[in-house]
Amino acid sequence: MLITENPELTRLMLTHLSDLYHIKQKRVGIHLSTLVYCLTKSQMDVSGGIEPTDNEVMLFALGLGLQDVLTPGGTATPVYTKDGIIYSPDFVFELGGWLVELKTTRQSAKRGAAHEFPETWIEYIKGGSYIVGKEFYDLSVLYLMGNYSPPFPLMKSFRLEFTPEELEENWNHILDRKAVYEKHIESRDIILPKKYAKSWECSYCRFKLVCDTILTEKRDTYPTETVEHIFGERLD
C-alpha cells in the first residue's frame, strides 16, 4: 500500500469551510467581540491585508460547526444594539428568555469545575447581559478533551449571575475600549500593540510579526510605564 498526502484536497476542504462560515468576510460595524478581544487585531482585521491562517480557519470552523450541531430547536439568535455596539447571543430559549453562550475548549474540564473561565468569556457575557438587561447568563462548554483522564469530550453548563454594579463596571470598561478603537479607526493610526490585549492572544496571532516590528521600531518613543507594561521590563 502506498500512502501520500493530498494537499489539494486539504485546500479544497479549508476553502469550503471558510466560505461556508464566511470566515474571511469582513464584518460591518462594531461588535461586542470586537471590543472584548485584542483591539489592535480588531483594527487590523478591518484594515485587511492578512487573511486568517489555516489554523484560524479550522478553529473558527470547529467552533461554528459544533455550535450549529449543538444548538437546540425552538431557539432564536436575535441581534441587539446598544451604544453603537452590536451583539448577538449564540441562542436564546424563547420560552424562558435564557441567554446561552456555547464555547469549545481544549482546557481541562477540571478548570470548569473550579469555575475558571477566560477573562474574555466573562467580559463578553457581562456585556451581553447588560445589553439585554438581564443579571444572569447561561454558559455551555464543550471540553473537547474532557479532564484528560481519559481525554473524552465532556459537556458542562453553568449559570452566571451578576450584580448591577458588576455589569455597569464592565460596560464602562467596554465603552472606554470602544472610544480607543473608534479614535484609531478614524485616524488610521495603529492601536499600540499588546496594550489592549490579553497576554495569551499574541502567541498565535497572524499579526504578531507586524506588531513586534511596530514595537521594536517605536520602542524608544514610548514613556517608561508603557515599556514596562508591554515589554515586561523594569526601567530604573
Side-chain angles (χ1 to χ4, degrees):
M1 178 174 65
L2 177 64
I3 299 177
T4 58
E5 286 197 34
N6 187 343
E8 292 81 7
L9 177 57
T10 300
R11 179 54 47 200
L12 186 151
M13 297 296 291
L14 287 168
T15 300
H16 163 68
L17 291 170
S18 179
D19 293 343
L20 178 65
Y21 292 111
H22 310 292
I23 293 172
K24 296 183 180 181
Q25 180 178 315
K26 291 180 176 61
R27 295 191 299 179
V28 178
I30 300 177
H31 294 251
L32 183 56
S33 56
T34 303
L35 304 174
V36 167
Y37 292 92
C38 174
L39 292 186
T40 308
K41 183 177 184 296
S42 292
Q43 181 187 12
M44 290 184 178
D45 272 333
V46 171
S47 304
I50 303 178
E51 290 191 337
T53 64
D54 289 349
N55 287 341
E56 288 177 308
V57 169
M58 283 304 306
L59 285 172
F60 281 119
L62 178 63
L64 293 170
L66 285 171
Q67 179 178 316
D68 284 346
V69 173
L70 294 171
T71 300
T75 60
T77 53
V79 177
Y80 303 89
T81 302
K82 186 175 182 63
D83 295 335
I85 300 171
I86 302 167
Y87 154 76
S88 179
D90 284 339
F91 64 86
V92 175
F93 280 107
E94 294 182 310
L95 184 62
W98 295 358
L99 296 172
V100 181
E101 195 70 19
L102 285 172
K103 294 293 185 184
T104 59
T105 180
R106 287 172 299 283
Q107 292 181 348
S108 171
K110 293 176 182 177
R111 298 192 67 175
H115 301 166
E116 295 178 3
F117 306 114
E119 290 178 73
T120 46
W121 292 12
I122 302 301
E123 289 174 9
Y124 185 88
I125 287 173
K126 284 182 177 178
S129 296
Y130 185 88
I131 290 173
V132 178
K134 290 185 178 293
E135 295 179 6
F136 69 91
Y137 204 122
D138 291 289
L139 170 66
S140 285
V141 185
L142 176 56
Y143 293 93
L144 295 171
M145 298 299 174
N147 56 17
Y148 285 86
S149 57
F152 292 154
L154 181 64
M155 173 77 78
K156 285 184 174 290
S157 297
F158 310 87
R159 170 156 292 190
L160 286 67
E161 300 183 56
F162 309 103
T163 66
E165 293 75 20
E166 286 178 303
L167 297 180
E168 184 76 30
E169 180 182 7
N170 183 72
W171 189 248
N172 288 334
H173 171 67
I174 288 172
L175 290 179
D176 288 343
R177 291 172 67 87
K178 179 174 180 281
V180 172
Y181 179 79
E182 289 181 315
K183 174 185 175 182
H184 286 78
I185 286 293
E186 182 178 353
S187 69
R188 296 188 178 183
D189 292 330
I190 297 297
I191 297 172
L192 182 61
K194 297 189 177 184
K195 184 174 182 180
Y196 299 96
K198 305 294 187 293
S199 59
W200 56 265
E201 291 185 85
C202 299
S203 300
Y204 302 103
C205 179
R206 65 183 181 278
F207 299 111
K208 186 177 187 304
L209 182 59
V210 177
C211 289
D212 287 346
T213 300
I214 292 171
L215 289 173
T216 300
E217 290 179 348
K218 297 186 177 182
R219 173 173 176 154
D220 293 339
T221 67
Y222 297 144
T224 298
E225 61 271 17
T226 301
V227 174
E228 291 178 350
H229 170 74
I230 293 177
F231 292 91
E233 298 178 4
R234 180 69 186 172
L235 302 182
D236 296 320

